[in-house]
Amino acid sequence: MRSGGSRAVDLALACHPGPTFAVTVFAVAMAAGADAPPATTALVGAAVLAGQLSVGWSNDWIDADRDAAVGRTDKPVGAGRLAVSTVRTAALSAAAACVVLSLALGWRAGVVHLATVASAWAYNARLKSTVWSWAPYAFSFGFLPLGIALALPGSPVAAWWAMASGALLGIGAHGANVVPDLQDDRATGVRGLPHRVGGTATSIGTALALVGATVLLVLAPAGPPRAAAAVVLVVAVGLTIVGTVLALGGGRHRLPFMFAIAVAAVDVVLLVLSDWVVG
């Protein structure tokens, strides 16, 4: 019989801790960088964390049979170390908490954030196996800045270029996340856009989306680009090139996805340094 501590560790692993932590930190940084009151910043972090936990756990719940079929030992549910019922209960509980926490930010911010979480659930449930597999990533990442902006005093909105950059980052994250699993996904009937166009085209498209997001953040804000922004652009391009080379080199490692998250972190720095909140 597995100990309670072991089950807790497996439950933490099943939430996809890397992306969950990263997206939560990015949201908190964006809120704090926009001078949100400390209580609002904390509430943004709690709402986003609950949403990301629900998304991660729902992924492992819905994909349990697929993960087991291809022998995914890195997935506690697929490997049989964690019961499907446990991760299903965790996902639904986190989703319920997300509803309460999101609406506590105000109905406008709450509705937008809940829409981004619902989009991610739709990806897990169905859209990952269609040609529209990229769309939930674009929607969720693109509208996250709007949800955060609407939570600020006065309910301002996010600049169009902040949302467009987020959408491009989402598309890039989708590609980087899927490429290592193309073979396993095909074996279990998943046929998203990357599976249809192939690993090479997906890796190149991922690089273009990530660079495009960064270029937009450098050039779209009013006024001439800052020198610091140019330096950040060079860093982001460098990270993208390394991640793309690793992806094109083949293998099932997660390094390209880690580099995509690093580019997203760089872009969040650019966003915080810019006037992305309007009104």
Side-chain angles (χ1 to χ4, degrees):
M1 180 180 295
R2 292 175 59 77
S3 68
S6 297
R7 286 195 296 271
V9 170
D10 283 335
L11 190 60
L13 292 173
C15 81
H16 299 218
T20 294
F21 176 78
V23 174
T24 302
V25 170
F26 295 162
V28 168
M30 290 166 62
D35 296 324
T40 300
T41 299
L43 191 54
V44 164
V48 171
L49 175 59
Q52 291 301 303
L53 287 172
S54 79
V55 171
W57 282 325
S58 70
N59 181 278
D60 277 23
W61 155 30
I62 294 168
D63 282 355
D65 290 341
R66 292 192 186 107
D67 292 337
V70 296
R72 289 290 297 271
T73 58
D74 59 320
K75 295 292 191 78
V77 181
R81 302 196 307 270
L82 197 63
V84 174
S85 60
T86 299
V87 77
R88 179 175 62 240
T89 299
L92 295 175
S93 299
C98 179
V99 171
V100 174
L101 292 167
S102 297
L103 293 178
L105 292 168
W107 73 267
R108 294 179 181 85
V111 167
V112 171
H113 181 243
L114 290 174
T116 67
V117 175
S119 169
W121 273 68
Y123 172 84
N124 289 341
R126 175 70 182 111
L127 292 179
K128 68 186 300 178
S129 298
T130 74
V131 72
W132 296 100
S133 60
W134 57 274
Y137 274 82
F139 182 93
S140 296
F141 279 75
F143 278 93
L144 181 60
L146 178 60
I148 294 172
L150 288 169
L152 301 175
S155 298
V157 296
W160 69 267
W161 45 265
M163 296 174 64
S165 177
L168 287 171
L169 281 175
I171 293 171
H174 171 49
N177 187 44
V178 170
V179 165
D181 298 331
L182 288 178
Q183 184 176 347
D184 286 349
D185 287 344
R186 290 193 185 100
T188 56
V190 176
R191 288 277 295 168
L193 182 62
H195 310 84
R196 298 165 193 255
V197 302
T200 299
T202 299
S203 297
I204 294 172
T206 294
L208 293 175
L210 294 175
V211 171
T214 310
V215 170
L216 195 58
L217 288 173
V218 171
L219 299 181
R226 301 178 183 180
V231 173
V232 173
L233 174 60
V234 172
V235 172
V237 171
L239 290 170
T240 302
I241 290 173
V242 174
T244 304
V245 170
L246 289 171
L248 292 174
R252 301 161 69 93
H253 52 77
R254 293 286 168 183
L255 284 176
F257 185 55
M258 294 299 103
F259 275 93
I261 291 178
V263 173
V266 169
D267 285 355
V268 169
V269 172
L270 277 176
L271 196 63
V272 169
L273 294 175
S274 64
D275 296 322
W276 66 277
V277 177
V278 180

